[in-house]
């Protein structure tokens, strides 16, 4: 933890008028108009980064949570000041929230730096909000604590539990296959998201919440309480109180985040069989802290840590089951032998000290398993290399079909997500269950890296009972999705990566055990194709232009090169 220094309060980051005392006088005058008196202005200031938005149903109950954080700050003697930032919801932002993660990170960092605050509470939830806010706070290096909105409660369809969005996809696939009619799919649609909160399976939002708790940037037990629950509110109050303590201790992220803090987060990522998106987000967050995580780090941790949490999409339960079984503290207790207990965090105690007081998961539950009786063996996530991905790719083994993990098939290529939509159900498309679907130009530069990687199974094959095929792409896939999908192929097609050279009918070979994904075409022929390549142009203006010119490749976290440390370039 950092050396103690007095919080600077309202006089931190003074507006520049060329006269310091005038700047203070002006600040007091305008805050007086907002009802703050001398006594208020002597307190440490806790900024609250608020991502409430009508465009973000996952954050619908955030205003109540913000009030709870404010109460905690006031109780501890601080002054809470809420400020708005962008808000990103996965299903209401086009073409993809990933295009805007770095913009949210940049806006949040700039506002933390520009406004007076001795600590910040980061209010997030939906997928990109949590990593973006943490990237910001790590770079700004102010005391920071993460609070999430929490997962939705589970829904129900004709007696069967329902969870967004693993079951969204399962039922949609059944509907496309003709097994669910219009009325039935409408009934499912109305039951998938029964409450406010984030997706209630181990999708990206829940994965990032669990990883953040393991990293030490959230109070223990903060990742899993459902949205609207009393313990969700109590976590918010406690986080507000703790933020004042962090401000007084000057406990900036740089004083406690280490490589092993991130390795602890990777351990939890493997144990929950979390979203592949977390690979990109944790890499970007670590890079902001000057720590280089590689795909091999993720592979290595995954190869020794089994899946311990029975949660969809890799398992059968939901986030409320995980929460009721003890949540992340119970999981960390099981993982204690493989964690670095000396790591510290916002709670102000080492992980080891906290785990000494933590209870082991009860024998009455089956959601959090022991190391001896896991949900699945180690290896839920694998990093692949090969002629189709010289800089690496990832596959979520735990969500794949075992018989497809070693597969050779011929390519059916889609140039973009739009091309996919236009042709996937074309009756003249030459495709069979052995084909390998390729989606390209969907990486960070090509399209902002949408979650389009889990390509829809063609209707014709779906109606014959085909539920999975090998897919290869430079796109991402939702953490709630399942299938044998090779993701994040680097270098991406838009920069001339090998994915850009694939043609319909080319043989592609996946060998997960050997960690290979190969395009089986004569190198001389690939050189000929490379010479003919016309690279797509990037958008002409605005954020999309800045993003296209500066975004780093997926294996480096897809941050902007000018926000990452100096020695990282694309
Ligand atoms: Fe917001 Fe899933 S759409 S968490």
């Amino acid at each position: 933890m950092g050396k103690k220094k007095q919080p600077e309060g309202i006089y931190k980051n003074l507006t520049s008028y060329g006269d310091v005392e005038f700047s203070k006088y002006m600040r007091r005058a305008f805050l007086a108009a907002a009802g703050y008196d001398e006594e208020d202005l002597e307190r440490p200031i806790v900024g609250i980064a608020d991502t409430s938005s009508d465009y973000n149903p996952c954050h619908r109950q955030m205003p109540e949570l913000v009030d709870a954080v404010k109460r905690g700050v006031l109780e501890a003697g601080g002054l809470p000041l809420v400020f708005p930032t962008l808000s990103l919801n996965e299903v209401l932002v086009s073409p993809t929230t990933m295009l805007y993660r770095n913009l949210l990170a940049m806006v949040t960092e700039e506002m933390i730096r520009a406004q007076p605050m001795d600590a910040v509470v980061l209010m997030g939830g939906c997928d990109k909000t949590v990593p973006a806010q943490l990237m910001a706070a790590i770079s700004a290096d102010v005391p920071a604590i993460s609070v999430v909105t929490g997962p939705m409660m589970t829904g129900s369809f004709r007696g069967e539990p329902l969870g967004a969005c693993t079951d969204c996809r399962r039922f949609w696939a059944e509907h496309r296959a003709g097994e669910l009619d219009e009325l039935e799919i409408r009934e499912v649609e109305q039951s998938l998201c029964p409450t406010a909160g984030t997706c209630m399976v181990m999708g990206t939002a829940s994965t990032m919440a669990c990883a953040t708790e393991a990293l030490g940037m959230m109070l223990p037990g903060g990742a899993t309480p459902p949205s609207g629950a009393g313990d969700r509110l109590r976590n918010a109050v406690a986080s507000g109180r703790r933020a004042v303590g962090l401000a007084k201790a000057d406990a900036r992220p740089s004083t406690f985040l280490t490589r092993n803090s991130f390795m602890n987060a990777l351990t939890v990522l493997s144990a929950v069989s979390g979203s592949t998106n977390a690979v990109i987000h944790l890499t970007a967050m670590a890079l902001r802290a000057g720590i280089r995580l590689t795909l091999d780090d993720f592979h290595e941790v995954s190869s020794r840590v089994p899946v311990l949490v029975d949660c969809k999409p890799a398992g059968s339960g939901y986030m409320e089951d995980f929460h009721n079984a003890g949540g992340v503290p119970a999981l960390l207790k099981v993982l204690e032998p493989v964690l670095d207990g000396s790591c510290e965090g916002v709670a102000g105690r080492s992980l080891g000290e906290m785990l000494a007081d933590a209870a082991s998961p009860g024998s009455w539950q089956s959601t959090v398993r022991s190391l001896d009786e896991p949900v699945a063996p180690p290896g839920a996530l694998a990093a692949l290399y090969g002629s189709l991905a010289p800089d690496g790719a990832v596959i979520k083994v735990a969500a794949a079909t075992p018989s497809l993990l070693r597969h050779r098939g011929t390519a059916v290529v889609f140039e973009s997500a739009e091309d996919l939509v236009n042709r996937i159900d074309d009756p003249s498309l030459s495709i069979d269950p052995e084909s390998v679907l390729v989606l390209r130009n969907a990486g960070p530069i090509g399209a902002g890296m949408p979650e389009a990687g889990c390509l829809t199974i063609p209707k014709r094959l779906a109606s014959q009972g085909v539920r999975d095929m090998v897919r290869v792409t430079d796109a991402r896939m939702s953490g709630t999705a399942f299938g044998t999908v090779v993701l994040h192929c680097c270098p991406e097609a838009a920069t001339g990566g090998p994915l850009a050279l694939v043609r319909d009918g080319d043989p592609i070979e996946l060998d997960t055990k050997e960690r290979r994904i190969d395009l089986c075409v004569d190198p001389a022929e690939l050189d000929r194709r490379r010479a003919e390549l016309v690279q797509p142009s990037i958008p002409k203006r605005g954020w999309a232009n800045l993003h296209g010119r500066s975004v780093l490749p997926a294996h480096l976290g897809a941050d902007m090169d000018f926000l990452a440390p100096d020695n990282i370039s694309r």
Side-chain angles (χ1 to χ4, degrees):
M1 288 288 174
K3 273 197 319 227
K4 284 200 177 186
K5 72 165 191 183
Q6 275 306 103
E8 294 170 71
I10 206 68
Y11 297 129
K12 192 173 179 179
N13 300 332
L14 283 174
T15 314
S16 178
Y17 292 116
D19 179 340
V20 168
E21 291 310 314
F22 178 73
S23 299
K24 291 179 177 177
Y25 153 78
M26 288 293 279
R27 202 162 263 190
R28 285 192 299 271
F30 276 78
L31 285 167
Y36 297 109
D37 62 17
E38 290 269 306
E39 196 180 318
D40 287 321
L41 301 186
E42 281 168 7
R43 294 169 174 233
I45 309 292
V46 175
I48 301 174
D50 184 354
T51 51
S52 305
S53 166
D54 285 348
Y55 284 97
N56 199 340
C58 302
H59 295 190
R60 175 162 66 78
Q61 284 179 313
M62 191 171 281
E64 188 184 23
L65 272 186
V66 168
D67 283 345
V69 172
K70 285 167 88 171
R71 178 156 66 81
V73 173
L74 289 167
E75 284 173 5
L79 180 65
L81 292 178
V82 182
F83 64 100
T85 67
L86 297 181
S87 185
L88 298 174
N89 180 270
E90 285 305 301
V91 294
L92 285 166
V93 170
S94 172
T96 167
T97 52
M98 189 60 195
L99 179 60
Y100 300 103
R101 182 201 65 178
N102 297 339
L103 183 59
L104 172 56
M106 202 160 78
V107 165
T108 306
E109 178 185 341
E110 295 301 327
M111 288 301 97
I112 292 172
R113 286 185 192 281
Q115 301 174 130
M117 65 187 80
D118 298 298
V120 62
V121 181
L122 307 164
M123 309 290 297
C126 198
D127 297 15
K128 305 302 177 295
T129 56
V130 173
Q133 291 181 320
L134 286 164
M135 288 161 72
I138 291 169
S139 288
D141 202 26
V142 294
I145 189 165
S146 175
V147 173
V148 292
T149 52
M152 296 180 227
M153 298 296 288
T154 306
S156 168
F157 173 63
R158 300 185 178 176
E160 187 185 342
L162 273 190
C165 243
T166 301
D167 296 319
C168 313
R169 296 172 197 285
R170 182 165 62 86
F171 281 107
W172 188 250
E174 288 179 15
H175 174 57
R176 279 178 58 81
E179 292 166 15
L180 222 60
D181 66 21
E182 282 297 331
L183 276 177
E184 288 168 320
I185 194 69
R186 179 57 74 93
E187 202 180 322
V188 169
E189 174 189 296
Q190 296 304 307
S191 311
L192 278 166
C193 306
T195 68
T198 49
C199 293
M200 63 290 235
V201 296
M202 195 55 77
T204 305
S206 296
T207 302
M208 288 311 301
C210 295
T212 300
E213 187 175 330
L215 186 64
M217 291 300 296
M218 180 186 283
L219 285 183
T224 60
S227 179
D231 43 8
R232 168 62 52 213
L233 287 167
R234 292 196 296 280
N235 169 264
V237 176
S239 298
R241 284 191 206 117
R242 186 65 197 134
V244 178
L246 294 174
K248 289 179 178 169
D250 193 28
R252 292 168 286 117
S254 64
T255 63
F256 59 85
L257 281 184
T258 62
R259 181 174 177 79
N260 280 359
S261 311
F262 281 94
M263 295 308 275
N264 284 347
L266 264 58
T267 300
V268 163
L269 170 65
S270 294
V272 300
S273 186
S275 164
T276 46
N277 289 325
V279 176
I280 297 177
H281 299 323
L282 287 166
T283 301
M285 287 158 51
L287 209 55
R288 293 292 187 106
I291 297 163
R292 179 82 171 86
L293 295 180
T294 65
L295 291 180
D296 286 338
D297 288 324
F298 289 88
H299 186 93
E300 186 276 321
V301 174
S302 174
S303 67
R304 60 181 166 76
V305 178
V307 179
L308 298 180
V309 176
D310 183 14
C311 200
K312 288 186 174 184
S316 61
Y318 295 88
M319 284 304 290
E320 64 189 85
D321 301 317
F322 183 26
H323 178 63
N324 291 336
V328 174
L331 174 63
L332 292 173
K333 186 73 180 171
V334 178
L335 288 168
E336 196 170 6
V338 292
L339 293 170
D340 182 348
S342 70
C343 292
E344 297 192 13
V346 293
R349 294 198 295 162
S350 73
L351 180 62
E353 286 168 338
M354 285 188 292
L355 291 181
D357 296 340
S360 295
S363 56
W364 49 266
Q365 60 82 44
S366 58
T367 302
V368 180
R369 307 281 178 83
S370 67
L371 287 165
D372 296 332
E373 291 179 273
V375 177
L381 185 87
L384 309 176
Y385 297 89
S387 58
L388 209 39
D391 290 339
V394 298
I395 183 168
K396 188 168 180 177
V397 177
T401 303
S403 60
L404 289 175
L405 288 170
R406 185 160 181 225
H407 180 83
R408 185 182 169 105
T410 51
V412 177
V413 181
F414 298 93
E415 294 294 338
S416 65
E418 293 71 32
D419 183 33
L420 172 72
V421 169
N422 292 336
R423 291 197 299 124
I424 189 74
D425 290 328
D426 184 338
S428 67
L429 190 67
S430 176
I431 195 164
D432 62 47
E434 303 302 309
S435 301
V436 174
L437 300 171
V438 174
L439 171 65
R440 66 185 171 206
N441 297 313
I445 294 175
M449 212 179 183
E451 288 185 340
C454 189
L455 285 76
T456 315
I457 303 295
K459 224 173 197 166
R460 176 156 48 91
L461 298 182
S463 60
Q464 293 166 17
V466 178
R467 289 290 179 272
D468 193 10
M469 295 170 70
V470 172
R471 289 156 269 183
V472 182
T473 179
D474 46 13
R476 296 176 302 120
M477 142 175 130
S478 164
T480 62
F482 44 85
T484 312
V485 191
V486 178
L487 299 154
H488 314 174
C489 278
C490 289
E492 63 171 291
T495 61
L499 207 60
L501 308 178
V502 186
R503 293 192 179 162
D504 283 343
D506 285 349
I508 290 178
E509 203 164 273
L510 167 66
D511 189 335
T512 309
K513 199 166 165 211
E514 293 298 318
R515 303 181 58 190
R516 301 285 309 177
I517 179 71
D518 288 303
L519 176 60
C520 306
V521 173
D522 179 33
E525 167 61 15
L526 294 180
D527 285 343
R528 269 193 294 279
R529 293 181 191 177
R530 194 172 287 111
E532 292 169 7
L533 259 189
V534 180
Q535 288 192 7
S537 57
I538 60 170
K540 291 258 179 300
R541 65 181 301 279
W543 172 253
N545 174 271
L546 185 56
H547 187 272
R549 281 190 285 126
S550 299
V551 71
L552 291 168
H555 73 285
L556 294 177
D559 198 357
M560 310 298 277
D561 57 7
F562 56 83
L563 296 174
D566 288 345
N567 57 349
I568 301 292
S569 58
R570 31 197 263 188

